[in-house]
Every structure is written in structure tokens, then in C-alpha cells.
Amino acid sequence: VQLQASGGGLVQPGGSLRLACEASGFTLDNYAVGWLRQAPGKRREGVSCINSDGRSYDASYVKGRFSISRDKSKNTVYLHMNSLKPEDTAVYYCAKQQGRTCDGYVKYDSWGQGTQVTVSS
């Protein structure tokens, strides 16, 4: 199992980015995948997650600004980030759940390497 995150970078406040997580060794038909982030000096926190049936969930602090989607033909999950704020600055990770549904932080069993997102003017 491998997850390859990409798409991070430097963006101004109010800007947008799209992160991509290319999965291999498993299919999105059978497992949920989520995005999490970790800012300097803070704990890792969940951002968004998508079930194998396509149902998705967003954390309250990104709801309305971020959304998660997937392309099963590419076995890739995306995180669309709009109206970015300086407090969104973090390393963003994608991770695979143990099963088909988003069941929380403790159920992630495989992680990508992370991609840095910096929101600054």
C-alpha cells in the first residue's frame, strides 16, 4: 500500500489549492481515504474523509471552504481548498482507513509522506 500526496505550495490568503493523493496497492472501491494536517507545534487533525461509497465528511473548521473528491479511474483522492487562511498552514497528509467507512483517526492504517501548504502574503 502506498499513498503519494502532491500539490502543496505557497499561496496568498484567500487563494486556492488542490491537493492530490495517488493510491496504489488498494482501490478506492474498498477503502475510505482521508486528509489530515499537522501545523508546527500542534497535534495532527482530521480535515476531510471520503467513504468507499463516495459519502464525504469535512471538519467544522474547513466546512464550506474545503471539499474532498475522488477519481476512481485514477485511484486518486483530491482535497480542494478555497478561501485559504494563514491558520490552514500545515503539512497535509492523506491516509487510508482500515475499512470502507471514515471511522476516525485511530482507524487510519497507512499514510502518505505529506505535502506542505503555506498560506502567507
Side-chain angles (χ1 to χ4, degrees), residues 25-117:
F26 69 98
T27 72
L28 301 179
D29 284 328
N30 296 325
Y31 294 94
V33 171
W35 286 96
L36 303 95
R37 67 186 184 185
Q38 187 166 20
K42 294 189 176 182
R43 296 175 62 182
R44 193 170 296 186
E45 61 184 10
V47 176
S48 298
C49 186
I50 187 164
N51 287 349
S52 62
D53 66 1
R55 187 173 302 183
S56 63
Y57 306 89
D58 302 311
S60 58
Y61 35 85
V62 302
K63 195 176 292 289
R65 300 188 298 121
F66 292 11
S67 64
I68 190 170
S69 68
R70 63 183 183 174
D71 184 337
K72 291 198 290 182
S73 69
K74 297 181 180 179
N75 217 39
T76 298
V77 175
Y78 301 97
L79 183 67
H80 308 268
M81 304 186 295
N82 300 309
S83 301
L84 282 160
K85 305 176 182 180
E87 51 263 44
D88 295 318
T89 295
V91 177
Y92 283 71
Y93 300 89
C94 59
K96 169 189 158 293
Q97 285 273 321
Q98 292 180 359
R100 296 176 180 270
T101 56
C102 299
D103 291 329
Y105 184 87
V106 296
K107 295 296 187 180
Y108 286 110
D109 62 1
S110 298
W111 295 78
Q113 84 289 1
T115 184
Q116 176 70 46
V117 172

Side-chain angles (χ1 to χ4, degrees), residues 1-5 21-26 75 94 96 110-112:
V1 171
Q2 286 191 324
L3 300 110
Q4 182 72 38
C21 175
E22 185 175 355
S24 59
F26 69 98
N75 217 39
C94 59
K96 169 189 158 293
S110 298
W111 295 78

